[in-house]
Amino acid sequence: MTPNSRSGAGRRNIAALICGALAAGGLAAAGTAALEPGVASASSHREAPLISGTPQYDNTDLYAFASPDKANTTTIVANWIPFEEPAGGPNFYQFADDAQYDLHIDNNGDALDDLIFRYTFSTQIKNKKTFLYNTGPVTSLTDPDLNITQSYDIDLIRLKHGKQSYKTRIADDIPAAPSNVGKASMPDYAKLRSQAIYKTSQGGATFAGQADDPFFADLRVFDLLYGGNLSEVGNDTLKGYNVNTIALQVPNDLIRQSKSRPTVGIYSTTQRRNAQGYYSQVSRLGNPLVNEVVNPQKDKDKFNASQPKDDAQFLKNVTEPEIPKLIEAIYKIKAPAEPRNDLVSVFLTGVKNLNTLQPYATPSEMLRLNTSIPATAHPKRLGVLDGDNAGFPNGRRLTDDVIDAALQVMEGELVGSKNDLGDAVDKNDKGFEKYFPYVAEPTSGSRGPLAKGTGSGTDVKNQLGDALQPAGSSTSGNTALIAGSAGAGALGILLIGGGLMWWRRMRERAY
């Protein structure tokens, strides 16, 4: 417990199926069951039995990269709450008030925390007598019509030998960006997001709020292997879903040991408070896909509650991985020889001459970022595999295609088994922003046209008929429908009232 570019042209069709299985968590069940949309695993979406039932605490993805527009800083992006349906109201998506959302830094490679950035949230409700998230158009984060708001604090915890030695608050009562309810409720969401970006001391920045899910992959392999129709591959299963994002930009000198020892290990966790007031760790994430396809079912919940210093217990899952064996059994692609020491360097120690941690390299699962490698103006989606050392597995950028890269490494790319496997989804459905927090704006809860008579700067509390009427449609049909519904309702009340009076008379006669 923690203290309080290769284009992929000519890739084999079968590879798309294999990679989909990697993302979804395995191939064994693919021939026997099809899952409903929105319940497959992604990078760390619903990846373990216990956490899948508590999405507010489920850390879905972690990114760490050199800030492309601000030299000598690192940006960490961590996401929670998988598969947020944009129109999923009236109770929209909030961080938990009883959780600690932590970003951990190990800057000497001993698998013990040296720094923790801890986010804690509180929820405010202006009017508890309404079911509405907002009672009118929201034009600012302080708008009285934004009925439910969240704010957060950030504590910086310094540790020695894994024990807390110092704690200071670096941000206090910062407003979080709300869920993007829709065009009528939030006509200028970009303005709301900009108001949620806060500058911290020493040239840093923080953001918390809803964003488009930046993870991209085709996860539909469980649909009976696409029913044999390979023309259906290449669909981004995460398209249109949102997540809750924490983004933190920090100076490199704050998190690394020194310029001569520039590599840091980064992972994220969630601690949840129990009824007795104690916190316990319920979610953990470093590299993508580890708890999905590296750890078997028996270890998934254990991994989420564990610390990197104890990762020796999971070593066999890395050196003798299941995925290559499944691929060989089903698709007859020979698995690389074991033990897989090449995977140990990618997932547990860092790659030699790239991002190993000095003076130690205790095997432990976390993202490792060499902060001395600057951002590139033209990132390649396969990162290090394509000669771009600023990308995965040297940290992870939003644009890195970790599904393709992880599959190619799993199938022996680093030990001479060259391949070009992938899932035919090479980028996110939305473009990322050029400035902090870089993630794309969340998909709006209203994807169709504005209601008639509404728009930017207009009041949605107008006539009921107009509010229910799509823009550009005729008034007569809906007005008649509303009037008819009202008339039917009134007639129903009269009939019910008459029936009750008759029943009372009959009952009195009987006695």
Side-chain angles (χ1 to χ4, degrees):
M1 185 187 302
T2 55
N4 261 4
S5 131
R6 287 183 298 187
S7 67
R11 66 165 52 90
R12 287 170 278 180
N13 284 335
I14 197 173
L17 300 182
I18 297 170
C19 196
L22 172 67
L27 292 166
T32 59
L35 299 181
E36 293 295 327
V39 299
S41 295
S43 180
S44 190
H45 300 53
R46 299 173 54 85
E47 86 289 348
L50 289 179
I51 198 63
S52 64
T54 52
Q56 277 185 304
Y57 312 90
D58 189 353
N59 191 176
T60 66
D61 278 289
L62 177 69
Y63 304 82
F65 50 90
S67 305
D69 63 321
K70 195 167 187 179
N72 302 314
T73 68
T74 291
T75 295
I76 303 170
V77 174
N79 296 327
W80 280 264
I81 312 180
F83 296 106
E84 290 184 5
E85 164 55 49
N91 295 302
F92 288 92
Y93 306 98
Q94 299 167 201
F95 291 97
D97 287 358
D98 62 348
Q100 297 169 334
Y101 298 96
D102 287 357
L103 306 177
H104 303 253
I105 309 294
D106 169 20
N107 61 24
N108 60 14
D110 62 357
L112 297 174
D113 295 340
D114 295 296
L115 297 171
I116 297 175
F117 295 94
R118 173 165 293 166
Y119 284 68
T120 52
F121 290 80
S122 60
T123 303
Q124 302 83 35
I125 303 176
K126 295 183 178 71
N127 181 4
K128 294 185 178 181
K129 294 183 178 180
T130 178
F131 68 88
L132 292 170
Y133 185 78
N134 58 291
T135 56
V138 177
T139 58
S140 73
L141 295 184
T142 58
D143 195 315
D145 284 325
L146 184 55
N147 190 39
I148 300 176
T149 61
Q150 285 201 301
S151 59
Y152 63 94
D153 304 327
I154 309 175
D155 291 317
L156 173 58
I157 302 171
R158 296 182 183 274
L159 305 95
K160 289 184 178 180
H161 308 297
K163 302 294 183 181
Q164 179 176 322
S165 62
Y166 178 76
K167 178 179 177 180
T168 183
R169 180 148 295 179
I170 61 174
D172 184 69
D173 200 27
I174 308 302
S179 294
N180 191 356
V181 175
K183 301 170 187 175
S185 292
M186 297 170 179
D188 188 358
Y189 190 84
K191 179 181 177 181
L192 301 181
R193 163 178 276 204
S194 67
Q195 293 175 352
I197 298 173
Y198 176 79
K199 301 296 184 182
T200 62
S201 60
Q202 298 178 299
T206 180
F207 167 84
Q210 195 179 50
D212 171 71
D213 192 336
F215 184 64
F216 50 96
D218 189 337
L219 306 178
R220 299 192 306 132
V221 68
F222 278 146
D223 185 13
L224 297 178
L225 292 176
Y226 299 94
N229 182 2
L230 299 183
S231 66
E232 294 185 6
V233 302
N235 295 294
D236 184 359
T237 313
L238 282 302
K239 180 180 180 180
Y241 287 109
N242 297 325
V243 289
N244 272 26
T245 289
I246 286 174
L248 178 66
Q249 191 171 79
V250 291
N252 290 336
D253 288 339
L254 176 63
I255 59 174
R256 65 190 179 190
Q257 207 173 39
S258 64
K259 288 185 178 181
S260 61
R261 292 177 175 173
T263 296
V264 295
I266 302 172
Y267 69 102
S268 58
T269 62
T270 314
Q271 288 76 238
R272 185 178 185 181
R273 187 175 65 237
N274 62 22
Q276 295 177 313
Y278 298 103
Y279 285 90
S280 58
Q281 182 179 306
V282 296
S283 181
R284 171 188 167 193
L285 181 63
N287 279 289
L289 305 169
V290 170
N291 210 23
E292 289 65 44
V293 301
V294 175
N295 290 329
Q297 287 288 340
K298 68 181 181 67
D299 288 338
K300 289 181 179 295
D301 291 328
K302 184 189 301 183
F303 178 85
N304 270 338
S306 66
Q307 299 179 57
K309 68 180 181 64
D310 299 320
D311 280 352
Q313 63 184 316
F314 305 119
L315 181 61
K316 187 176 180 180
N317 300 341
V318 176
T319 59
E320 301 177 17
E322 181 181 10
I323 280 290
K325 298 171 186 175
L326 292 171
I327 292 174
E328 181 175 0
I330 297 175
Y331 295 108
K332 311 306 178 186
I333 299 176
K334 186 173 178 58
E338 296 177 345
R340 296 295 303 277
N341 293 323
D342 57 318
L343 299 184
V344 171
S345 67
V346 171
F347 292 114
L348 299 179
T349 63
V351 179
K352 187 177 181 180
N353 300 323
L354 175 68
N355 61 348
T356 50
L357 281 153
Q358 299 298 332
Y360 310 101
T362 302
S364 55
E365 201 291 294
M366 58 182 75
L367 277 179
R368 287 173 171 80
L369 177 69
N370 185 336
T371 60
S372 69
I373 299 176
T376 176
H378 303 288
K380 297 179 180 179
R381 66 180 183 87
L382 292 179
V384 174
L385 288 182
D386 202 12
D388 178 3
N389 287 344
F392 181 77
N394 181 35
R396 179 186 177 189
R397 298 169 299 197
L398 297 172
T399 56
D400 286 340
D401 192 345
V402 295
I403 288 288
D404 287 17
L407 178 63
Q408 292 175 24
V409 168
M410 193 74 71
E411 285 302 295
E413 181 78 18
L414 300 181
V415 290
S417 297
K418 300 297 182 181
N419 63 84
D420 197 20
L421 302 182
D423 66 346
V425 180
D426 296 342
K427 62 180 181 179
N428 193 45
D429 61 298
K430 285 189 172 184
F432 299 116
E433 297 188 354
K434 296 181 180 180
Y435 306 101
F436 182 86
Y438 307 110
V439 288
E441 287 184 20
T443 298
S444 169
S446 58
R447 308 184 198 193
L450 283 170
K452 183 178 179 181
T454 65
S456 179
T458 63
D459 190 350
V460 298
K461 293 175 287 189
N462 52 15
Q463 296 182 16
L464 180 61
D466 284 343
L468 295 179
Q469 181 184 349
S473 63
S474 171
T475 61
S476 59
N478 282 336
T479 303
L481 176 62
I482 295 166
S485 297
L491 179 60
I493 292 171
L494 290 174
L495 290 173
I496 292 172
L500 287 172
M501 291 177 63
W502 175 84
W503 177 79
R504 286 185 61 187
R505 289 174 183 171
M506 293 299 292
R507 192 165 180 263
E508 289 171 356
R509 290 178 182 177
Y511 288 95

